[in-house]
Amino acid sequence: MGSYVYPRYAYVPPPELTVGACVASTYPVVIVGAGLVGLTLALDLALKGVPVTVLDEDDTVSIGSRSICQAQRTLEIWHRLGVADRMVAKGVTWDTGEVYVGDRQVYRFNMQPDPGQRFPAFINLQQYYCEQFLVERCGEVAGVDLRFRNKVIDVRPGNDHVAVDVHTPDGRYTLRAAWLVACDGVRSAVRTLLKLPYEGEVFDDQFLIADIRMRADLPNIRKYWFYPPFHPQNSVLLHRQADDVLRVDFQLGRDADAEAERRIEAIDRRLGVMFGPAARWDHEWSSVYKFTCRTLPRFVHGRVIFAGDAAHVVSPFGARGGNSGVQDADNLGWKLALVVQGIAPASLLESYSHERVQAARENIRQSTRSTDFITPKFPASRVLRDAVLDLARDFPFARAMVNSGRLSRPTGCSDSPLHAGGAAEDWGPAPPPGDVLPDAPLADDNDIWATEAVAGRFAVVTFADTPDGLPSDAAARLAAPFPVACLAVMRDAGARPAGWDALHDTKGMLARRCDARPGTTYLVRPDQVIAGRWRALDLAALAAGLRRAAGLVEG
Amino acid sequence: MTALRHDLNLARPDDVYNLIVDAHKGLDDAQCRAFDARLILLLANQVGDEAAIREAVDAALAGLVPTA
């Protein structure tokens, strides 16, 4: 079954079980789980100079396609880690979704209506490819110790470290971690060992994912049908992946017999009705599942930190699982690096919990709404849902209410303790503090992008007409105990202001997206989240904003 | 048809849709009908445009064949 050849990563006996090997007394960061989230965090920390040890119980990548929709923000993060272009080259680029009632299209949406961005709204790429490319990138970066077939069997939190018992083919050993990050998925062993409550709900409706390999002349569009002629009682999703693999997701209802539906003959029968008698396919992966929405109430527990599915899980229609996990890693990486390097206090990590619990709750809210629309839970909600679908044929307003999954966008953190108070000046449509700084092409040849220039370290981004008013000693006056990029956005492609790196916004696109006027200044965190914005370049306010954003002062 | 709006007139359609759905939670069938009737009358008065309400009544009736 399947066309993908799963890599087998070599088990190497750990130094703890090797006679004469040098063993660290305490590892600064140990990550449990070499999945999308753990690998992203490992690369981010290693590239920031923090060595990481990654423990994974298996010796290969994700079994099955699983998380297939990789969002723009995820690609921007992976680009910073040096691996996104490979993903895009292999994946299927898309930005459009279509929704049908019966066989009639009622709604069409575009996830990237404003082009001129480094990455597309989405690519579809099977999770196993993403993990493989991330593992291979870890091999090119100094400081990532990937330990396959190392299974965590006990966790004992202490005041200044966590003791971790690990099982390997050579037996058992114990290591000490200054920080332990659990990225070990929805059935997290670390969460289970610590007996933490995983709050939420499981929905009754059952769904069947049938990933098949089939040559089909289909556009790169996400298609969703309510009551299609080939599956008249329920709904169906169809989406392309790499290697001519199609994701087909059938809603089965509450009373379906999961065992019977899992059988290949039953799946083939459903696909035969959908694609017609002449179609041929091979099976790639299949799964019968229920929608689940759960979250930990806090993601930081002493020196144990949770990220990704280990911390929160949502139903899949909306691409909010893997993508929100990668955003967790992006939010956590720079903070953990500052703490490990002794620059910021450990309390900075509480902002990770605050911001990402808020994001998880927003994702669960959106996901629950989609779930309620796709699988109405009581008679009146079904009547209203079907009324929306009926009206959608003739009334555009109702099309906006058709909810087959509201697809993942970066989740803002509107009330973060790290962010400077909102300035009183009025702002037009532009991302406020808590959102990610917009992307835009810089210079005429489009070969530098804002998302590349403003990433990976703190940045002051100021918009200027002329070099006048740009103090050449700005960096020194900011007096931050960590690197800060001073970036001046100017339309003049020849501008070279002293003490500043010029970003040549020759088309004015970045200025438009930031609602910028001369003097407008953004303070941007290493994860590209806006920490403050002002209508004038005020170095004293920026210096205070930097200290606050790094957790050096109480909010 | 000219008086009735066809285009979207809500800033957050998902919020309004879910507000109305959630209001039905825990109501039995008769209570749902009572709630719907009150909501329709309240909104009709808010709309205040008889021509628009007539068009809305016709649009809502489309495809429903009387059986009684």
Side-chain angles (χ1 to χ4, degrees):
Chain A
M1 183 155 159
S3 54
Y4 178 75
V5 178
Y6 285 86
R8 291 286 163 197
Y9 299 118
Y11 160 75
V12 178
E16 284 79 0
L17 295 172
T18 305
V19 175
C22 180
V23 175
S25 61
T26 304
Y27 293 88
V29 179
V30 173
I31 295 169
V32 185
L36 292 179
V37 181
L39 292 167
T40 298
L41 180 63
L43 281 170
D44 195 23
L45 286 168
L47 288 166
K48 289 181 162 72
V50 177
V52 286
T53 306
V54 185
L55 308 175
D56 194 277
E57 62 180 323
D58 208 348
D59 66 351
T60 186
V61 292
S62 156
I63 302 297
S65 333
R66 296 184 189 272
S67 171
I68 61 168
C69 297
Q70 319 302 342
Q72 177 178 6
R73 181 67 199 135
T74 294
L75 295 171
E76 289 169 357
I77 294 163
W78 283 343
H79 184 53
R80 196 180 76 225
L81 307 179
V83 73
D85 285 337
R86 200 176 169 196
M87 308 273 195
V88 173
K90 183 68 190 172
V92 172
T93 293
W94 66 278
D95 59 15
T96 300
E98 293 176 351
V99 180
Y100 296 77
V101 177
D103 54 7
R104 182 169 165 187
Q105 184 186 315
V106 297
Y107 184 50
R108 185 180 166 97
F109 58 86
N110 185 333
M111 295 297 296
Q112 199 178 68
D114 194 5
Q117 317 209 30
R118 175 69 171 78
F119 289 100
F122 280 97
I123 64 165
N124 281 1
L125 184 62
Q126 294 90 315
Q127 185 169 343
Y128 44 73
Y129 275 120
C130 298
E131 292 185 6
Q132 178 194 328
F133 295 169
L134 288 166
V135 167
E136 288 169 15
R137 179 69 181 135
C138 285
E140 300 167 355
V141 169
V144 183
D145 178 11
L146 276 177
R147 299 187 181 183
F148 294 100
R149 298 181 73 188
N150 275 240
K151 180 182 168 66
V152 171
I153 52 176
D154 199 16
V155 174
R156 294 184 303 282
N159 282 335
D160 62 351
H161 74 282
V162 185
V164 185
D165 291 342
V166 185
H167 182 80
T168 76
D170 289 327
R172 174 177 170 160
Y173 70 97
T174 299
L175 56 70
R176 286 163 60 101
W179 297 95
L180 184 73
V181 189
C183 307
D184 51 347
V186 67
R187 283 181 287 274
S188 168
V190 176
R191 195 189 62 232
T192 307
L193 287 164
L194 295 179
K195 299 187 174 61
L196 296 174
Y198 206 29
E199 299 166 353
E201 57 182 324
V202 179
F203 297 82
D204 291 332
D205 258 69
Q206 300 184 89
F207 290 79
L208 164 70
I209 285 178
D211 278 2
I212 55 173
R213 191 176 162 91
M214 183 169 90
R215 291 265 157 153
D217 190 18
L218 292 169
N220 296 350
I221 289 175
R222 178 190 194 264
K223 290 194 174 200
Y224 197 95
W225 290 267
F226 292 93
Y227 304 125
F230 50 85
H231 190 60
Q233 303 303 315
N234 280 303
S235 59
V236 176
L237 170 89
L238 175 65
H239 218 170
R240 279 188 65 183
Q241 310 170 44
D243 298 341
D244 290 320
V245 174
L246 298 179
R247 160 76 43 98
V248 191
D249 195 327
F250 294 98
Q251 182 189 3
L252 298 176
R254 282 159 205 238
D255 304 324
D257 177 348
E259 282 312 308
E261 294 291 350
R262 232 185 282 275
R263 288 204 304 270
I264 290 293
E265 310 82 68
I267 298 172
D268 280 341
R269 206 173 309 122
R270 293 200 180 282
L271 293 167
V273 176
M274 182 169 178
F275 292 110
R280 294 290 175 270
W281 56 82
D282 296 312
H283 288 275
E284 185 82 8
W285 179 63
S286 61
S287 171
V288 174
Y289 70 96
K290 293 180 177 178
F291 285 171
T292 305
C293 290
R294 292 184 195 276
T295 183
L296 285 171
R298 291 181 295 125
F299 294 171
V300 177
H301 294 258
R303 288 186 166 254
V304 183
I305 304 169
F306 292 84
D309 281 3
H312 50 78
V313 61
V314 295
S315 54
F317 291 80
R320 292 169 182 273
N323 289 304
S324 69
V326 170
Q327 286 176 54
D328 287 348
D330 188 40
N331 188 297
L332 177 59
W334 65 271
K335 295 175 182 174
L336 194 51
L338 284 179
V339 170
V340 167
Q341 289 161 347
I343 296 168
S347 58
L348 175 61
L349 299 174
E350 286 304 320
S351 72
Y352 161 73
S353 184
H354 178 92
E355 293 173 354
R356 295 312 296 170
V357 167
Q358 185 184 339
R361 295 208 186 280
E362 169 64 11
N363 282 322
I364 286 174
R365 192 176 75 92
Q366 292 283 356
S367 176
T368 301
R369 284 180 170 187
S370 302
T371 300
D372 285 345
F373 196 91
I374 292 166
T375 64
K377 284 208 284 293
F378 51 96
S381 65
R382 177 171 289 272
V383 170
L384 275 158
R385 195 280 298 265
D386 287 347
V388 166
L389 295 179
D390 283 334
L391 289 172
R393 294 170 195 276
D394 296 321
F395 289 88
F397 87 86
R399 290 168 205 164
M401 292 179 174
V402 174
N403 189 339
S404 71
R406 299 278 181 246
L407 284 143
S408 171
R409 293 178 180 284
T411 318
C413 24
S414 52
D415 67 343
S416 172
L418 303 185
H419 297 164
E425 299 93 344
D426 56 293
W427 293 82
D435 282 13
V436 172
L437 192 80
D439 194 13
L442 300 170
D444 282 326
D445 48 3
N446 284 6
D447 59 357
I448 310 165
W449 298 79
T451 193
E452 297 168 322
V454 188
R457 69 248 191 275
F458 282 99
V460 168
V461 181
T462 194
F463 292 78
D465 271 350
T466 68
D468 309 336
L470 292 176
S472 59
D473 59 349
R477 286 162 62 186
L478 291 170
F482 41 77
V484 180
C486 291
L487 306 173
V489 184
M490 307 179 79
R491 289 199 74 136
D492 172 10
R496 298 276 183 280
W500 294 76
D501 286 330
L503 306 184
H504 298 126
D505 184 27
T506 50
K507 296 192 180 75
M509 207 181 272
L510 186 59
R512 174 172 63 77
R513 288 176 180 162
C514 293
D515 186 33
R517 311 195 280 256
T520 294
T521 303
Y522 282 78
L523 177 60
V524 187
R525 314 189 323 192
D527 54 4
Q528 282 177 272
V529 170
I530 298 163
R533 59 178 178 176
W534 296 265
R535 282 301 189 194
L537 177 61
D538 177 344
L539 290 173
L542 287 163
L546 277 165
R547 294 183 61 78
R548 181 171 177 152
L552 301 179
V553 287
E554 288 302 312
Chain B
M1 293 250 202
T2 50
L4 186 65
R5 290 189 77 128
H6 288 219
D7 59 322
L8 185 65
N9 191 33
L10 298 165
R12 292 191 297 273
D14 281 352
D15 287 7
V16 173
Y17 174 79
N18 282 279
L19 175 71
I20 296 172
V21 169
D22 291 345
H24 290 82
K25 267 185 188 159
L27 303 183
D28 65 25
D29 283 357
Q31 290 170 323
C32 282
R33 293 172 65 131
F35 167 80
D36 289 344
R38 293 173 196 176
L39 185 63
I40 290 164
L41 292 171
L42 287 164
L43 295 179
N45 183 60
Q46 179 71 31
V47 169
D49 177 346
E50 190 179 323
I53 295 167
R54 278 183 192 284
E55 287 181 26
V57 167
D58 288 341
L61 269 174
L64 299 178
V65 181
T67 56

